Amino acid sequence: MQSLIKTCALPVVLISLTACGGGGGGGSKPAPSPVPSSTAASSVAPSSVAPSSTPASSLAASSIAPASSADASSSAASSSVAGTESTQTATVYANYSVAAIDNCGVGISAANKTFAIFADYDSGVQNQSLSSLNFSGWNHATNGSTTEWTNLKLAGSNYNFNNNAKVNSSCNSVDTLDMLLVKKINDWDHQHSNGFERNILAYGYKFGDIESLTVDVKINNTKTSIPSVASLKTIYTSYLDPKKPDAVENLEDGKVNIGIVIYDGKTASTWMAKKIIQLDQSALGDKWIRVTIPMSGMKHCLEANYNCADRPFSELSSKTIAGIQFVGETKSGAVLRGDISSWSTSIPETFKEADLSFKKIEFQLK
């Protein structure tokens, strides 16, 4: 399956992507959320978006510094029932928040006014088929090139998308969607080396129906490999355009970045809501956390010819959502190739590798 975010030199076409929670040794795949009559399912069949390459990522950079040094209360209040899943006080960053999860996967049920893209609630079937939920993924690292992927930590097949969720012992045996996401540092060809998405076009939700996106995720540190800024400067400084001495610092902070794109179903041009979140693996690794992203805090744009031009949300709000996509990212969403004075394939490639487990991906509806 092909990616919305540019990863090889092809024109934009369309994509595809599904729901979370879980408890007590069993998880549940929720029934599809009802679609309000005002957002009846589209009669247009899901299409797909081809991955392509661009000098800069189609996922525009988000602001990632904390909005305040003070913590703010989580929008998901702690459970009133002792021992059930709850969240600690959230730390608020620029247009998203992060909160640690306590009692992961215990006593989970679907909240009101949500649409589960991926989820596992109480008393349900485990090892869900992701392909039957219209999830798909791609992995360029198995394209047969012997030089392109030389510096990956593992063999190419380790970066595949798995068509089935897996029971996760770190969260009360809920189902999780697990993938080791890879992003290139140097070259924009196949820069989003792998990723996954779900097609939800048939549900008929509009961008304007969505209050926020909730993602419950864990960084698995054992297989996560994020190069430091210092190591990247050692590798690339001699190649950089002298007029761009801060290119590495502008690109990277040496943290886990996840790129998220919610998109409509057009081919020549695509309406998008986009966000890059940053997570510090040294502080948050091997812990379950909840990331909440308001729709109002995402970048709203219309992409055509590899450029996503900012547009007011009023133009986007009535468009039907076709799907949602997740990839590994740099801080800025770009790569170094445009900052290198004389780029060639002989310049060494470096990768960010983030091993992630997702237990819930949900839209909070208005």
Side-chain angles (χ1 to χ4, degrees), residues 179-183 194-196 326-328 352-354 356 358:
M179 194 166 185
L180 184 48
L181 294 178
V182 179
K183 165 77 174 187
N194 65 353
F196 68 90
F326 289 77
V327 295
K352 296 183 69 173
E353 303 184 27
L356 303 172
F358 297 85

Side-chain angles (χ1 to χ4, degrees), residues 119-131:
D120 178 13
Y121 303 110
D122 287 344
S123 305
V125 177
Q126 292 188 304
N127 301 306
Q128 300 172 61
S129 168
L130 296 175
S131 57

Side-chain angles (χ1 to χ4, degrees), residues 96-167:
Y96 68 99
S97 65
V98 178
I101 297 173
D102 292 328
N103 301 314
C104 186
V106 179
I108 299 300
S109 60
N112 292 329
K113 299 182 71 174
T114 63
F115 174 77
I117 298 162
F118 173 77
D120 178 13
Y121 303 110
D122 287 344
S123 305
V125 177
Q126 292 188 304
N127 301 306
Q128 300 172 61
S129 168
L130 296 175
S131 57
S132 69
L133 298 174
N134 281 330
F135 273 96
S136 60
W138 70 95
N139 176 19
H140 294 303
T142 55
N143 64 4
S145 173
T146 58
T147 57
E148 185 175 6
W149 312 105
T150 299
N151 291 325
L152 282 177
K153 301 301 181 184
L154 302 171
S157 61
N158 289 277
Y159 308 97
N160 286 344
F161 172 76
N162 194 315
N163 283 322
N164 287 89
K166 295 182 179 179
V167 172

